Amino acid sequence: GLKPLLRREYEVFNARKAGSAKQATVVIRADRETKTGCVQEVIKACQETGFEKFALRAKQQTAVTLKKT
């Protein structure tokens, strides 16, 4: 279901300025525990749509613990 959304974004970028989608940087954010294969699939879908530049971000949320008083 990602490709139709990517195509729409690609068209929006290019409508603003011809070829601008190829200059856009797609930021892919994932939890540190996300499997590499999932991220690679997202990158592949972006490339198939026409995007060429990527920035990867990973973050792991820290668990909130409650202390008994």
Side-chain angles (χ1 to χ4, degrees), residues 13-60:
F13 273 103
N14 283 334
R16 292 183 180 170
K17 184 177 177 185
S20 66
K22 291 190 179 215
Q23 300 302 318
T25 300
V26 177
V27 178
I28 299 171
R29 292 187 175 112
D31 183 81
R32 180 177 281 165
E33 301 298 321
T34 302
K35 294 184 179 184
T36 304
C38 292
V39 175
Q40 290 172 333
E41 287 179 29
V42 172
I43 292 171
K44 183 179 176 185
C46 291
Q47 289 172 326
E48 290 173 353
T49 305
F51 291 102
E52 298 178 357
K53 295 181 180 182
F54 306 94
L56 304 177
R57 303 285 185 259
K59 185 174 183 177
Q60 185 172 11

